[in-house]
Amino acid sequence: MAVYTDVDDQSLARFLADYEIGKLVAYRGIAEGVENSNFVLETGAGQFILTLYEKRVKRADLPFFLGLMDHLAAKGLACPTPIHRKDGRVLGELCGRPAAIVSFLKGVWPRKIELSHCAPVGDALARLHVAGADFPIRRENALGPAGWRPLAEACGARADEVEKGLAAEIAAELDFLDRAWPRDLPQGVIHADLFPDNVFFLDGGFSGMIDFYFACNDTLAYDLAICLNCWCFEPDGSFNATKARRLVGGYASVRGLSPAETAALPILARGSALRFLLTRLYDWLNHPPGAFVRPKNPLEYAKKLRFHRAVPAPSAYGL
């Protein structure tokens, strides 16, 4: 979450007049992330998060994202709750951008992932999947398997500027996943981006998850595979099977995995690693000079992909 659009006091005051959350006391930008402009608001009613949706977020997708947060919060999931305006809507416009206000979650995201974090994350992910089962709006995953090849083609041979041979490696992986991708596993609403900076802990316990702006309908176990990639590798690039066992165990304590889902985890983890390799690669190659947000190194996910490619069975994940 970063700040791309500046918000002046007068515009913000007019925007807040459509809400019943008290007068503005203070606000500040949040200089993290890559998608939207975010601010912490302090008003007479407490703290809130204001988000201005930038060009990478399609306006047509906003009813899904905001409706999903409303739905999940009503089911008891610890996540931001959209604040409704006086006219009942949750979406307005500020400084030429679609904008919304959501509740403020207390907690901090873990800069260092400990074993104690993993089971609660798996538990929370499963609760999201269960709570989202009856959410009525659908959104296809624009960054699912159908979107990977166009991303790779957009990077083309320039991938070799990052690492020699990377373009050919990506092409071979795409061909493999086209053949091997499991297409008959349970589907539902997934978070699709549950990285550590989207999970909060407070006083040693899980306090909530944020940033639902990649959420979509897709394979449920694929969401778990994303978490294997972003929660279970150490800073030196080694895979921590104990963390994986805790993560999957926490998940299975709420929503049991079928044998087919467990067997598919190595393939799903390869697809997850490829997805983040490709999006990071595209951003790395198309990063404007002097841009505020620094792109993330795609080779982190190239190394993770190579690990999963060598995995003979789910038992390698400590399962």
Side-chain angles (χ1 to χ4, degrees), residues 278-317:
L278 288 172
T279 50
R280 288 186 177 193
L281 180 63
Y282 181 87
D283 288 346
W284 188 272
L285 293 173
N286 295 279
H287 184 59
F292 178 78
V293 177
R294 186 176 181 181
K296 297 176 180 177
N297 190 343
L299 292 182
E300 175 188 347
Y301 272 83
K303 293 174 183 176
K304 292 178 180 181
L305 174 59
R306 291 161 193 159
F307 169 83
H308 296 301
R309 191 182 294 135
V311 165
S315 57
Y317 300 134

mmCIF file of all heavy atoms in Angstrom, residues 278-317:
data_model
loop_
_atom_site.group_PDB
_atom_site.id
_atom_site.type_symbol
_atom_site.label_atom_id
_atom_site.label_comp_id
_atom_site.label_asym_id
_atom_site.label_seq_id
_atom_site.Cartn_x
_atom_site.Cartn_y
_atom_site.Cartn_z
ATOM 1 N N LEU A 278 6.414 -14.168 -12.677
ATOM 2 C CA LEU A 278 6.040 -13.419 -13.874
ATOM 3 C C LEU A 278 5.606 -11.994 -13.565
ATOM 4 O O LEU A 278 5.992 -11.050 -14.268
ATOM 5 C CB LEU A 278 4.924 -14.159 -14.612
ATOM 6 C CG LEU A 278 5.346 -15.450 -15.325
ATOM 7 C CD1 LEU A 278 4.122 -16.190 -15.842
ATOM 8 C CD2 LEU A 278 6.316 -15.152 -16.463
ATOM 9 N N THR A 279 4.806 -11.806 -12.529
ATOM 10 C CA THR A 279 4.369 -10.439 -12.223
ATOM 11 C C THR A 279 5.539 -9.589 -11.733
ATOM 12 O O THR A 279 5.652 -8.412 -12.083
ATOM 13 C CB THR A 279 3.231 -10.438 -11.184
ATOM 14 O OG1 THR A 279 3.597 -11.253 -10.057
ATOM 15 C CG2 THR A 279 1.943 -10.980 -11.794
ATOM 16 N N ARG A 280 6.423 -10.187 -10.940
ATOM 17 C CA ARG A 280 7.603 -9.437 -10.495
ATOM 18 C C ARG A 280 8.539 -9.157 -11.667
ATOM 19 O O ARG A 280 9.136 -8.076 -11.748
ATOM 20 C CB ARG A 280 8.334 -10.212 -9.402
ATOM 21 C CG ARG A 280 7.587 -10.230 -8.081
ATOM 22 C CD ARG A 280 8.414 -10.870 -6.999
ATOM 23 N NE ARG A 280 7.734 -10.820 -5.700
ATOM 24 C CZ ARG A 280 8.320 -11.084 -4.543
ATOM 25 N NH1 ARG A 280 9.603 -11.418 -4.517
ATOM 26 N NH2 ARG A 280 7.633 -11.012 -3.417
ATOM 27 N N LEU A 281 8.673 -10.118 -12.564
ATOM 28 C CA LEU A 281 9.530 -9.927 -13.733
ATOM 29 C C LEU A 281 9.006 -8.799 -14.605
ATOM 30 O O LEU A 281 9.776 -7.939 -15.056
ATOM 31 C CB LEU A 281 9.606 -11.228 -14.528
ATOM 32 C CG LEU A 281 10.456 -11.213 -15.800
ATOM 33 C CD1 LEU A 281 11.917 -10.929 -15.477
ATOM 34 C CD2 LEU A 281 10.309 -12.543 -16.546
ATOM 35 N N TYR A 282 7.700 -8.785 -14.836
ATOM 36 C CA TYR A 282 7.109 -7.722 -15.658
ATOM 37 C C TYR A 282 7.350 -6.362 -15.017
ATOM 38 O O TYR A 282 7.757 -5.401 -15.692
ATOM 39 C CB TYR A 282 5.613 -7.969 -15.843
ATOM 40 C CG TYR A 282 4.958 -6.911 -16.698
ATOM 41 C CD1 TYR A 282 4.931 -7.030 -18.085
ATOM 42 C CD2 TYR A 282 4.391 -5.772 -16.129
ATOM 43 C CE1 TYR A 282 4.366 -6.052 -18.884
ATOM 44 C CE2 TYR A 282 3.825 -4.783 -16.911
ATOM 45 C CZ TYR A 282 3.813 -4.931 -18.289
ATOM 46 O OH TYR A 282 3.258 -3.945 -19.077
ATOM 47 N N ASP A 283 7.113 -6.263 -13.711
ATOM 48 C CA ASP A 283 7.324 -4.983 -13.020
ATOM 49 C C ASP A 283 8.797 -4.586 -13.018
ATOM 50 O O ASP A 283 9.137 -3.405 -13.134
ATOM 51 C CB ASP A 283 6.799 -5.071 -11.585
ATOM 52 C CG ASP A 283 5.277 -5.107 -11.516
ATOM 53 O OD1 ASP A 283 4.631 -4.798 -12.534
ATOM 54 O OD2 ASP A 283 4.743 -5.460 -10.448
ATOM 55 N N TRP A 284 9.677 -5.556 -12.887
ATOM 56 C CA TRP A 284 11.122 -5.288 -12.881
ATOM 57 C C TRP A 284 11.578 -4.723 -14.221
ATOM 58 O O TRP A 284 12.357 -3.768 -14.273
ATOM 59 C CB TRP A 284 11.857 -6.580 -12.564
ATOM 60 C CG TRP A 284 13.324 -6.449 -12.336
ATOM 61 C CD1 TRP A 284 14.320 -6.491 -13.270
ATOM 62 C CD2 TRP A 284 13.984 -6.267 -11.071
ATOM 63 N NE1 TRP A 284 15.543 -6.348 -12.677
ATOM 64 C CE2 TRP A 284 15.383 -6.213 -11.329
ATOM 65 C CE3 TRP A 284 13.541 -6.153 -9.752
ATOM 66 C CZ2 TRP A 284 16.318 -6.047 -10.319
ATOM 67 C CZ3 TRP A 284 14.472 -5.992 -8.749
ATOM 68 C CH2 TRP A 284 15.842 -5.935 -9.022
ATOM 69 N N LEU A 285 11.057 -5.305 -15.308
ATOM 70 C CA LEU A 285 11.473 -4.888 -16.648
ATOM 71 C C LEU A 285 10.804 -3.603 -17.110
ATOM 72 O O LEU A 285 11.287 -2.944 -18.028
ATOM 73 C CB LEU A 285 11.164 -6.007 -17.660
ATOM 74 C CG LEU A 285 11.969 -7.295 -17.502
ATOM 75 C CD1 LEU A 285 11.442 -8.360 -18.449
ATOM 76 C CD2 LEU A 285 13.459 -7.059 -17.724
ATOM 77 N N ASN A 286 9.694 -3.241 -16.470
ATOM 78 C CA ASN A 286 8.934 -2.060 -16.898
ATOM 79 C C ASN A 286 8.865 -1.006 -15.804
ATOM 80 O O ASN A 286 7.906 -0.228 -15.752
ATOM 81 C CB ASN A 286 7.517 -2.481 -17.309
ATOM 82 C CG ASN A 286 7.527 -3.372 -18.536
ATOM 83 O OD1 ASN A 286 7.622 -2.904 -19.660
ATOM 84 N ND2 ASN A 286 7.439 -4.682 -18.315
ATOM 85 N N HIS A 287 9.867 -0.978 -14.960
ATOM 86 C CA HIS A 287 9.894 -0.037 -13.843
ATOM 87 C C HIS A 287 10.333 1.343 -14.321
ATOM 88 O O HIS A 287 11.456 1.502 -14.818
ATOM 89 C CB HIS A 287 10.863 -0.540 -12.779
ATOM 90 C CG HIS A 287 10.904 0.298 -11.543
ATOM 91 N ND1 HIS A 287 9.802 0.524 -10.761
ATOM 92 C CD2 HIS A 287 11.943 0.960 -10.946
ATOM 93 C CE1 HIS A 287 10.150 1.281 -9.743
ATOM 94 N NE2 HIS A 287 11.426 1.569 -9.829
ATOM 95 N N PRO A 288 9.474 2.372 -14.195
ATOM 96 C CA PRO A 288 9.866 3.713 -14.654
ATOM 97 C C PRO A 288 10.982 4.289 -13.788
ATOM 98 O O PRO A 288 10.944 4.147 -12.558
ATOM 99 C CB PRO A 288 8.578 4.540 -14.493
ATOM 100 C CG PRO A 288 7.483 3.547 -14.321
ATOM 101 C CD PRO A 288 8.097 2.346 -13.686
ATOM 102 N N PRO A 289 11.973 4.924 -14.395
ATOM 103 C CA PRO A 289 13.042 5.552 -13.606
ATOM 104 C C PRO A 289 12.459 6.580 -12.633
ATOM 105 O O PRO A 289 11.589 7.364 -12.993
ATOM 106 C CB PRO A 289 13.917 6.230 -14.663
ATOM 107 C CG PRO A 289 13.624 5.494 -15.940
ATOM 108 C CD PRO A 289 12.181 5.081 -15.848
ATOM 109 N N GLY A 290 12.911 6.535 -11.402
ATOM 110 C CA GLY A 290 12.464 7.494 -10.407
ATOM 111 C C GLY A 290 11.123 7.189 -9.782
ATOM 112 O O GLY A 290 10.604 7.992 -9.007
ATOM 113 N N ALA A 291 10.536 6.024 -10.107
ATOM 114 C CA ALA A 291 9.232 5.673 -9.532
ATOM 115 C C ALA A 291 9.359 5.501 -8.023
ATOM 116 O O ALA A 291 10.393 5.072 -7.501
ATOM 117 C CB ALA A 291 8.705 4.393 -10.163
ATOM 118 N N PHE A 292 8.268 5.818 -7.329
ATOM 119 C CA PHE A 292 8.277 5.805 -5.866
ATOM 120 C C PHE A 292 8.435 4.392 -5.318
ATOM 121 O O PHE A 292 9.171 4.152 -4.369
ATOM 122 C CB PHE A 292 6.975 6.427 -5.351
ATOM 123 C CG PHE A 292 6.845 6.427 -3.842
ATOM 124 C CD1 PHE A 292 7.526 7.366 -3.087
ATOM 125 C CD2 PHE A 292 6.050 5.507 -3.197
ATOM 126 C CE1 PHE A 292 7.430 7.359 -1.708
ATOM 127 C CE2 PHE A 292 5.949 5.486 -1.819
ATOM 128 C CZ PHE A 292 6.631 6.434 -1.073
ATOM 129 N N VAL A 293 7.727 3.433 -5.914
ATOM 130 C CA VAL A 293 7.727 2.063 -5.402
ATOM 131 C C VAL A 293 8.830 1.260 -6.081
ATOM 132 O O VAL A 293 8.924 1.227 -7.302
ATOM 133 C CB VAL A 293 6.359 1.386 -5.636
ATOM 134 C CG1 VAL A 293 6.390 -0.060 -5.169
ATOM 135 C CG2 VAL A 293 5.271 2.150 -4.891
ATOM 136 N N ARG A 294 9.639 0.599 -5.295
ATOM 137 C CA ARG A 294 10.745 -0.191 -5.810
ATOM 138 C C ARG A 294 10.250 -1.598 -6.143
ATOM 139 O O ARG A 294 9.625 -2.250 -5.299
ATOM 140 C CB ARG A 294 11.845 -0.258 -4.761
ATOM 141 C CG ARG A 294 13.118 -0.924 -5.218
ATOM 142 C CD ARG A 294 14.155 -0.843 -4.116
ATOM 143 N NE ARG A 294 15.403 -1.460 -4.514
ATOM 144 C CZ ARG A 294 16.474 -1.545 -3.734
ATOM 145 N NH1 ARG A 294 16.430 -1.019 -2.509
ATOM 146 N NH2 ARG A 294 17.572 -2.118 -4.160
ATOM 147 N N PRO A 295 10.509 -2.114 -7.347
ATOM 148 C CA PRO A 295 10.018 -3.455 -7.695
ATOM 149 C C PRO A 295 10.763 -4.536 -6.919
ATOM 150 O O PRO A 295 11.916 -4.361 -6.513
ATOM 151 C CB PRO A 295 10.311 -3.551 -9.196
ATOM 152 C CG PRO A 295 11.465 -2.630 -9.418
ATOM 153 C CD PRO A 295 11.273 -1.491 -8.452
ATOM 154 N N LYS A 296 10.080 -5.671 -6.718
ATOM 155 C CA LYS A 296 10.668 -6.785 -5.983
ATOM 156 C C LYS A 296 11.437 -7.688 -6.947
ATOM 157 O O LYS A 296 11.065 -7.843 -8.101
ATOM 158 C CB LYS A 296 9.570 -7.559 -5.255
ATOM 159 C CG LYS A 296 8.861 -6.723 -4.209
ATOM 160 C CD LYS A 296 7.714 -7.477 -3.574
ATOM 161 C CE LYS A 296 7.010 -6.611 -2.533
ATOM 162 N NZ LYS A 296 5.833 -7.299 -1.935
ATOM 163 N N ASN A 297 12.484 -8.287 -6.441
ATOM 164 C CA ASN A 297 13.365 -9.115 -7.262
ATOM 165 C C ASN A 297 12.636 -10.385 -7.713
ATOM 166 O O ASN A 297 12.242 -11.200 -6.873
ATOM 167 C CB ASN A 297 14.620 -9.488 -6.473
ATOM 168 C CG ASN A 297 15.669 -10.137 -7.338
ATOM 169 O OD1 ASN A 297 15.402 -10.610 -8.445
ATOM 170 N ND2 ASN A 297 16.894 -10.183 -6.837
ATOM 171 N N PRO A 298 12.466 -10.595 -9.015
ATOM 172 C CA PRO A 298 11.769 -11.798 -9.487
ATOM 173 C C PRO A 298 12.532 -13.078 -9.243
ATOM 174 O O PRO A 298 11.935 -14.168 -9.187
ATOM 175 C CB PRO A 298 11.597 -11.533 -10.985
ATOM 176 C CG PRO A 298 12.672 -10.565 -11.340
ATOM 177 C CD PRO A 298 12.863 -9.708 -10.128
ATOM 178 N N LEU A 299 13.853 -13.006 -9.066
ATOM 179 C CA LEU A 299 14.642 -14.230 -8.931
ATOM 180 C C LEU A 299 14.351 -14.967 -7.622
ATOM 181 O O LEU A 299 14.619 -16.162 -7.509
ATOM 182 C CB LEU A 299 16.130 -13.911 -9.038
ATOM 183 C CG LEU A 299 16.582 -13.449 -10.427
ATOM 184 C CD1 LEU A 299 18.080 -13.199 -10.444
ATOM 185 C CD2 LEU A 299 16.187 -14.467 -11.492
ATOM 186 N N GLU A 300 13.786 -14.277 -6.631
ATOM 187 C CA GLU A 300 13.358 -14.977 -5.416
ATOM 188 C C GLU A 300 12.381 -16.086 -5.780
ATOM 189 O O GLU A 300 12.456 -17.214 -5.253
ATOM 190 C CB GLU A 300 12.700 -13.996 -4.440
ATOM 191 C CG GLU A 300 12.126 -14.679 -3.213
ATOM 192 C CD GLU A 300 11.298 -13.753 -2.334
ATOM 193 O OE1 GLU A 300 11.361 -12.521 -2.525
ATOM 194 O OE2 GLU A 300 10.565 -14.273 -1.464
ATOM 195 N N TYR A 301 11.472 -15.784 -6.696
ATOM 196 C CA TYR A 301 10.462 -16.776 -7.065
ATOM 197 C C TYR A 301 10.949 -17.739 -8.136
ATOM 198 O O TYR A 301 10.435 -18.855 -8.251
ATOM 199 C CB TYR A 301 9.144 -16.093 -7.421
ATOM 200 C CG TYR A 301 8.331 -15.914 -6.165
ATOM 201 C CD1 TYR A 301 8.562 -14.835 -5.319
ATOM 202 C CD2 TYR A 301 7.428 -16.874 -5.771
ATOM 203 C CE1 TYR A 301 7.891 -14.711 -4.122
ATOM 204 C CE2 TYR A 301 6.745 -16.770 -4.575
ATOM 205 C CZ TYR A 301 6.974 -15.691 -3.754
ATOM 206 O OH TYR A 301 6.321 -15.595 -2.554
ATOM 207 N N ALA A 302 11.968 -17.375 -8.874
ATOM 208 C CA ALA A 302 12.606 -18.344 -9.766
ATOM 209 C C ALA A 302 13.245 -19.459 -8.937
ATOM 210 O O ALA A 302 13.140 -20.650 -9.280
ATOM 211 C CB ALA A 302 13.645 -17.660 -10.641
ATOM 212 N N LYS A 303 13.878 -19.105 -7.840
ATOM 213 C CA LYS A 303 14.506 -20.098 -6.966
ATOM 214 C C LYS A 303 13.451 -20.975 -6.297
ATOM 215 O O LYS A 303 13.644 -22.196 -6.168
ATOM 216 C CB LYS A 303 15.364 -19.385 -5.923
ATOM 217 C CG LYS A 303 16.577 -18.667 -6.518
ATOM 218 C CD LYS A 303 17.315 -17.848 -5.470
ATOM 219 C CE LYS A 303 18.472 -17.079 -6.096
ATOM 220 N NZ LYS A 303 19.148 -16.183 -5.108
ATOM 221 N N LYS A 304 12.337 -20.393 -5.890
ATOM 222 C CA LYS A 304 11.267 -21.185 -5.287
ATOM 223 C C LYS A 304 10.664 -22.148 -6.311
ATOM 224 O O LYS A 304 10.355 -23.308 -5.990
ATOM 225 C CB LYS A 304 10.194 -20.257 -4.701
ATOM 226 C CG LYS A 304 10.679 -19.472 -3.493
ATOM 227 C CD LYS A 304 9.620 -18.520 -2.952
ATOM 228 C CE LYS A 304 10.164 -17.767 -1.733
ATOM 229 N NZ LYS A 304 9.178 -16.844 -1.136
ATOM 230 N N LEU A 305 10.495 -21.682 -7.523
ATOM 231 C CA LEU A 305 9.988 -22.545 -8.581
ATOM 232 C C LEU A 305 10.905 -23.752 -8.778
ATOM 233 O O LEU A 305 10.431 -24.893 -8.925
ATOM 234 C CB LEU A 305 9.867 -21.740 -9.879
ATOM 235 C CG LEU A 305 9.483 -22.515 -11.142
ATOM 236 C CD1 LEU A 305 8.151 -23.212 -10.973
ATOM 237 C CD2 LEU A 305 9.438 -21.564 -12.339
ATOM 238 N N ARG A 306 12.198 -23.531 -8.783
ATOM 239 C CA ARG A 306 13.153 -24.633 -8.968
ATOM 240 C C ARG A 306 13.082 -25.623 -7.812
ATOM 241 O O ARG A 306 13.226 -26.830 -8.003
ATOM 242 C CB ARG A 306 14.558 -24.068 -9.132
ATOM 243 C CG ARG A 306 14.736 -23.313 -10.447
ATOM 244 C CD ARG A 306 15.926 -22.380 -10.446
ATOM 245 N NE ARG A 306 15.859 -21.481 -11.602
ATOM 246 C CZ ARG A 306 16.494 -20.319 -11.686
ATOM 247 N NH1 ARG A 306 17.241 -19.888 -10.662
ATOM 248 N NH2 ARG A 306 16.386 -19.560 -12.766
ATOM 249 N N PHE A 307 12.846 -25.123 -6.611
ATOM 250 C CA PHE A 307 12.679 -26.035 -5.471
ATOM 251 C C PHE A 307 11.473 -26.936 -5.702
ATOM 252 O O PHE A 307 11.556 -28.159 -5.565
ATOM 253 C CB PHE A 307 12.517 -25.245 -4.170
ATOM 254 C CG PHE A 307 12.073 -26.122 -3.022
ATOM 255 C CD1 PHE A 307 12.999 -26.863 -2.306
ATOM 256 C CD2 PHE A 307 10.725 -26.221 -2.684
ATOM 257 C CE1 PHE A 307 12.589 -27.699 -1.266
ATOM 258 C CE2 PHE A 307 10.313 -27.053 -1.642
ATOM 259 C CZ PHE A 307 11.245 -27.781 -0.934
ATOM 260 N N HIS A 308 10.330 -26.347 -6.022
ATOM 261 C CA HIS A 308 9.112 -27.147 -6.195
ATOM 262 C C HIS A 308 9.235 -28.118 -7.367
ATOM 263 O O HIS A 308 8.660 -29.213 -7.337
ATOM 264 C CB HIS A 308 7.908 -26.233 -6.402
ATOM 265 C CG HIS A 308 7.601 -25.364 -5.226
ATOM 266 N ND1 HIS A 308 7.316 -25.858 -3.975
ATOM 267 C CD2 HIS A 308 7.536 -24.004 -5.109
ATOM 268 C CE1 HIS A 308 7.095 -24.858 -3.137
ATOM 269 N NE2 HIS A 308 7.217 -23.723 -3.801
ATOM 270 N N ARG A 309 9.975 -27.733 -8.381
ATOM 271 C CA ARG A 309 10.147 -28.607 -9.541
ATOM 272 C C ARG A 309 10.850 -29.903 -9.128
ATOM 273 O O ARG A 309 10.631 -30.961 -9.741
ATOM 274 C CB ARG A 309 10.944 -27.869 -10.613
ATOM 275 C CG ARG A 309 10.952 -28.572 -11.971
ATOM 276 C CD ARG A 309 11.808 -27.808 -12.965
ATOM 277 N NE ARG A 309 11.213 -26.513 -13.269
ATOM 278 C CZ ARG A 309 11.891 -25.364 -13.314
ATOM 279 N NH1 ARG A 309 13.185 -25.341 -13.047
ATOM 280 N NH2 ARG A 309 11.283 -24.255 -13.631
ATOM 281 N N ALA A 310 11.681 -29.821 -8.100
ATOM 282 C CA ALA A 310 12.430 -31.004 -7.647
ATOM 283 C C ALA A 310 11.700 -31.799 -6.575
ATOM 284 O O ALA A 310 12.199 -32.847 -6.128
ATOM 285 C CB ALA A 310 13.799 -30.567 -7.128
ATOM 286 N N VAL A 311 10.531 -31.321 -6.151
ATOM 287 C CA VAL A 311 9.792 -32.015 -5.082
ATOM 288 C C VAL A 311 9.165 -33.298 -5.649
ATOM 289 O O VAL A 311 8.381 -33.244 -6.590
ATOM 290 C CB VAL A 311 8.698 -31.085 -4.510
ATOM 291 C CG1 VAL A 311 7.688 -31.870 -3.692
ATOM 292 C CG2 VAL A 311 9.331 -29.996 -3.653
ATOM 293 N N PRO A 312 9.479 -34.474 -5.058
ATOM 294 C CA PRO A 312 8.930 -35.725 -5.583
ATOM 295 C C PRO A 312 7.504 -36.022 -5.134
ATOM 296 O O PRO A 312 6.762 -36.727 -5.807
ATOM 297 C CB PRO A 312 9.902 -36.775 -5.039
ATOM 298 C CG PRO A 312 10.409 -36.182 -3.764
ATOM 299 C CD PRO A 312 10.464 -34.695 -3.979
ATOM 300 N N ALA A 313 7.105 -35.471 -3.960
ATOM 301 C CA ALA A 313 5.793 -35.778 -3.385
ATOM 302 C C ALA A 313 5.487 -34.775 -2.292
ATOM 303 O O ALA A 313 6.399 -34.097 -1.790
ATOM 304 C CB ALA A 313 5.794 -37.205 -2.811
ATOM 305 N N PRO A 314 4.211 -34.666 -1.887
ATOM 306 C CA PRO A 314 3.862 -33.731 -0.801
ATOM 307 C C PRO A 314 4.600 -33.970 0.486
ATOM 308 O O PRO A 314 4.707 -33.062 1.313
ATOM 309 C CB PRO A 314 2.350 -33.946 -0.639
ATOM 310 C CG PRO A 314 1.881 -34.483 -1.947
ATOM 311 C CD PRO A 314 3.015 -35.310 -2.463
ATOM 312 N N SER A 315 5.147 -35.170 0.680
ATOM 313 C CA SER A 315 5.887 -35.456 1.909
ATOM 314 C C SER A 315 7.098 -34.541 2.060
ATOM 315 O O SER A 315 7.571 -34.299 3.180
ATOM 316 C CB SER A 315 6.335 -36.915 1.920
ATOM 317 O OG SER A 315 7.122 -37.208 0.784
ATOM 318 N N ALA A 316 7.594 -33.990 0.941
ATOM 319 C CA ALA A 316 8.720 -33.060 1.015
ATOM 320 C C ALA A 316 8.343 -31.775 1.729
ATOM 321 O O ALA A 316 9.228 -31.031 2.180
ATOM 322 C CB ALA A 316 9.231 -32.743 -0.383
ATOM 323 N N TYR A 317 7.042 -31.502 1.834
ATOM 324 C CA TYR A 317 6.569 -30.323 2.555
ATOM 325 C C TYR A 317 6.300 -30.624 4.028
ATOM 326 O O TYR A 317 5.700 -29.820 4.729
ATOM 327 C CB TYR A 317 5.286 -29.793 1.906
ATOM 328 C CG TYR A 317 5.439 -29.391 0.458
ATOM 329 C CD1 TYR A 317 4.500 -29.779 -0.499
ATOM 330 C CD2 TYR A 317 6.511 -28.624 0.026
ATOM 331 C CE1 TYR A 317 4.636 -29.405 -1.830
ATOM 332 C CE2 TYR A 317 6.666 -28.258 -1.300
ATOM 333 C CZ TYR A 317 5.712 -28.653 -2.220
ATOM 334 O OH TYR A 317 5.868 -28.286 -3.527
#
